Amino acid sequence: MPGVATNSDELSLIPYSQNNSHIIPIRHTLKPPISRLSIAWARGSSLRVSVLRQPESDDEPGGQVVEVKLGVDEADIYDAQWRRIAYGSVTPFAVLQSRKNPIWDAYNADLSDVIEYSKEINSLLGNYKVLPDPAIEDPRTVVQRVDEPTFSKAAWELMEIFYANKQSDGWIPERLVDWLSDYDKLIHREQPTIYSRLVDFQTELVNLQAVEKDPKYWDVLSAALAVGWLDIVVKLLRLHSSYQHNQIASRETENGLVETVVVLVSKMPRLRPNLSAGKLGECYETKPDFVKAWEKWRGQITKLDCSSFWLQCEHQDTREGLKRMLQIMLGNASVLSAATFHWVELFIGHFLYIRPFTVGMESMYSLAQKCMQLKPVSSPHKLMELLNGILGENTEVVLAECSRSFGSWMITHAIELLTAGSTQADILLHEERNHLGGICIEELHRLVYAQVLSSHALTWQIAPIYLASCMKQGMGLLEILLYKQPVGHNQILLKNIEICRMYELDNVGSNAMKIAGVHHWKHGKKGSGVFWLQQAQDEFRLNRIAQQLFDFVGKSVSDESFKQWEGLIELLGSQSKAAGGLDFLHKYRDFKRSLQQVTDMTSIDAAQKASEALILLMKNPSTPQRFWLSLLHDAVQLLNWKERTLLNVPQTNLLLNKLQELSMARLRPDFIEADLPPQALSSVRLALATNLGRAILEE
């Protein structure tokens, strides 16, 4: 477990290891003294540290939450960029899963689909961009100014070389040359590299009059040649003083030797389909053509090495430097080893000059082990460890290195490359394991990555894509994820419902709407609560809400307190399929509006409409019995209409029967009396009797 430094003014985390030289500071802004710390895991390899203190006044904060990264290096990819990559990789991943044949092979996709997938993922990790040159180009600029690459892109391209492009196995050495030229700068952070030596020498070029007199000049030339950076070699050779106009006449032989080496370097055969702009060499796509060109080129080098012109070259540094370069091109192992700094550089040098026809992972791995013995590294580097695992065809090592050094995103998406055309990796990653709960390694890493996405408020929406691809436990964890989302925000709730519809989780979506309805109702958002319960078709809770509405309205529905609920009843609308008491309140709202339109005894149409609304209410089985008397009391004006009777004999008998049922119900102990004047019942009886007599006479 991490420990806490004793000085409470400057808090730090000290990882538990034999070497405690690395201390991770906790950067907070609270004033001392700090009373307590609370530590919990955050996303990835980060800790969420809650720093707590006793505030001296109400204005001072009592705590602060900070996120501490446990990695020794600075973050390779920042949070915003990581989210962009996470969202961008969803579509390629989902498309690849959809293209897998569920009948014949549920796990593996066609190699062409994997190649397309790999290119799309690679583009998300950033493009290798050369920065714009200055207005006046410096002829002594050897190394181009480029954007700093990321370890994640370097690792992905390394796996792409060996796993995705199976059809170009013969071009792997040349692809490694390109890979090292792009990413050797990442290795130099921890140990010397050819790139770092070139950068250091470039800063010294400004002060050099005759570069060939500096031993570092020939060292960097040999180093760049050893790994196939031919364009840099030619540019450095052209800086030789013998190319100056005032030197050509007196140093003609020396300049001729230098130019001959320049031509040989520029004409080096390359077993590859093409070269990018600015790169040197002659490309050959087929092995027979390459072998012929290689033998001819080697013969020219041997002939130059035995030439008598070396005796006429008076400049010793030039003679020895050029001779050393020829030995590298002739495949002298000791000279090649002396020109490189770590085993990957030596490994590529062997490919180029000693064993250019090496094919097969077993031969490559044997060569890599030999180079490791000749050039051991002081400390393990994640890119080197990854390359070693790839060459050894050890899928478990590759998985472990991806997980340890590059995180769950990398391992989740790289598994698609590892299983492309590899039966051994396919069996290892897709075999169900009892100690993992019956799931396979591939599903385990997808679940871990989905958990990382779920822990962040801005990325949880894409976690279902990966959970749905997990056949065993994915859908169960997806339901848990959806249930854990807050229902107080409509945008999150709508996204939740959309995900449920996408994956046919109708029950989960319905429950989410029910939870949202109850949440909004309890927090005073009555309209939102009713809306979501209606969407969920939750008749039980709608009836419960209707009961609460009755309690708020009071024992008399004619009370003025009913006005505060008119907006809620309006929400139900005329097309609403509301259940139970809500249906009653909707009809009661129409009845009250009709009564309000009866302004005087001449509003016959409004009175007739109100009478019809009253009959509908009394016939409706959803109208609670305890409101019958209140409704009849509100309708006394209609029953006593002087111009003519508004209710016929059957309608009046219906109301009398309801009144009789109400009189019988009042005998029950649980009957709730309406809050009406004492003479309300008698006035209703008198009005009904009068209306009945008038209706009989009129008929």
Side-chain angles (χ1 to χ4, degrees), residues 283-303:
C283 298
Y284 297 91
E285 293 190 34
T286 61
K287 190 174 181 180
D289 294 340
F290 172 75
V291 171
K292 291 180 183 179
W294 176 264
E295 292 177 351
K296 179 181 178 182
W297 181 70
R298 274 291 183 87
Q300 293 172 342
I301 297 173
T302 303
K303 184 177 180 180

Side-chain angles (χ1 to χ4, degrees), residues 650-668:
Q651 291 173 337
T652 308
N653 286 330
L654 171 67
L655 299 182
L656 286 170
N657 291 334
K658 293 291 185 182
L659 191 60
Q660 183 63 25
E661 290 180 25
L662 185 62
S663 299
M664 298 297 294
R666 294 176 67 185
L667 301 177
R668 298 198 305 265

